[in-house]
Amino acid sequence: MATNLALDDRLIEEARRAGRHKSKKEAVTAALEEYVQKRQQMRILEAFGTFTVDPAYDYKRERQRNNVRVSSRSSRRRT
């Protein structure tokens, strides 16, 4: 999609050189991708502490239960 933006030429050139991009378009695309990724990471970090944790939860026991189920299914297929 073609878009016309008034961008700071000095800043674009600095970003292009810093990222070793061949074109302004590559530099802007990379910057936008990094921006989106950073914002998504920030949302994940903001979620920390908002979930209730069950101190009695035993992930090792759950993993063993799940492995037993998978093992019993795979043994049935072999026969």
Side-chain angles (χ1 to χ4, degrees):
M1 162 184 4
T3 304
N4 293 323
L5 299 171
L7 300 173
D8 183 344
D9 286 333
R10 180 194 56 77
L11 189 58
I12 292 285
E13 186 58 27
E14 187 176 344
R16 190 188 66 73
R17 275 189 260 119
R20 296 185 176 139
H21 301 290
K22 295 178 183 176
S23 68
K24 291 179 181 179
K25 179 181 177 182
E26 280 184 22
V28 170
T29 300
L32 288 172
E33 288 171 348
E34 288 179 27
Y35 176 83
V36 169
Q37 182 180 24
K38 179 72 172 178
R39 291 296 172 159
Q40 290 172 341
Q41 289 172 348
M42 288 172 55
R43 284 196 348 232
I44 291 169
L45 289 174
E46 288 169 359
F48 276 100
T50 61
F51 299 97
T52 305
V53 177
D54 179 6
Y57 178 71
D58 185 357
Y59 73 92
K60 290 182 180 180
R61 188 178 71 209
E62 289 295 319
R63 190 179 295 160
Q64 288 172 349
R65 277 184 29 186
N66 289 335
N67 285 340
V68 169
R69 288 182 197 156
V70 171
S71 297
S72 63
R73 277 189 242 153
S74 61
S75 64
R76 281 188 233 153
R77 289 181 189 158
R78 291 180 190 157
T79 55

